[in-house]
Amino acid sequence: AMTCPFACDERLERSYTQEESMPLHIGYAGRMEHEQKRMDLFLRLAMELKERHIGFVMEFAGDGTARPGMKKFAAGHKLGDNMKFLGRLERSKIKDFWRRQDICVNLADYEGRSISIIEAMGNGAIPVVTATSGVREDVTDGVNGYIVPLGDYNAAADRIAYLSRHRGELKK
């Protein structure tokens, strides 16, 4: 058992991006480092989604050594409208951050039980996460989110593409 480290509403009331003409909202919250967190894969994922013509806005809440390079990459690859770097958010703003995300992505190579993923799920964001040691405690692949192999940003793009084409699944 794990004590839930944040306040959860007894009944979650939120909306999702239902119109296929509108971009999906994808979020990440945490340290922004290439080692362990694999922020380099987020860049590849963004390029893959763009190549597949999937509308998205990816917001990053956090900071770290990868952030400046990611911002430069986004600007250089015309992803400025797709990738937003919010910096470190106050704890009181995390709930609102996750409530505006349709999807939570975590592409880490290794992770314990991620509080960020739990917070995202508690606020209704659908996890698309790598198969790190702690995710199976909270995510059942294909039921309440998606688990993809480590390093496989294409599999993450596949799941996001599916959700983009089947917006009704977001509510489920």
Side-chain angles (χ1 to χ4, degrees):
M2 180 176 171
T3 302
C4 193
F6 64 99
C8 291
D9 294 345
E10 191 170 317
R11 181 170 165 82
L12 181 62
E13 302 272 344
R14 63 157 291 159
S15 61
Y16 294 90
T17 309
Q18 293 296 302
E19 293 295 322
E20 287 190 33
S21 62
M22 300 298 293
L24 283 172
H25 294 270
I26 302 170
Y28 170 85
R31 287 184 297 113
M32 297 181 71
E33 304 294 338
H34 290 304
E35 187 177 332
Q36 180 191 359
K37 298 299 185 176
R38 295 303 307 267
M39 301 313 289
D40 58 309
L41 295 180
F42 280 90
L43 301 174
R44 294 178 186 174
L45 174 61
M47 291 298 294
E48 183 66 25
L49 294 174
K50 184 177 176 181
E51 287 175 16
R52 294 183 189 199
H53 305 287
I54 296 168
F56 71 96
V57 174
M58 194 178 293
E59 289 189 323
F60 296 90
D63 204 358
T65 60
R67 185 174 169 216
M70 291 178 73
K71 287 176 77 171
K72 185 176 180 180
F73 180 92
H77 288 85
K78 297 185 174 131
L79 289 166
D81 291 339
N82 301 96
M83 299 177 79
K84 308 293 180 193
F85 299 90
L86 309 177
R88 188 171 255 170
L89 297 182
E90 294 177 29
R91 171 113 327 259
S92 63
K93 297 188 186 234
I94 292 294
K95 178 179 179 177
D96 291 335
F97 172 79
W98 285 122
R99 291 276 171 107
R100 70 175 175 263
Q101 308 306 325
D102 297 310
I103 299 168
C104 158
V105 174
N106 188 318
L107 301 173
D109 277 345
Y110 54 95
E111 185 95 64
R113 195 160 186 201
S114 171
I115 297 212
S116 183
I117 294 171
I118 295 168
E119 288 175 325
M121 292 175 72
N123 286 292
I126 311 308
V128 175
V129 298
T130 48
T132 57
S133 62
V135 300
R136 282 181 172 48
E137 295 289 326
D138 303 300
V139 181
T140 302
D141 188 44
V143 176
N144 66 342
Y146 298 97
I147 301 172
V148 301
L150 296 178
D152 196 347
Y153 67 91
N154 281 305
D158 291 343
R159 300 326 179 271
I160 293 168
Y162 173 82
L163 290 169
S164 180
R165 290 188 313 271
H166 301 92
R167 301 288 176 110
E169 293 294 311
L170 294 167
K171 283 183 177 183
K172 294 178 184 176

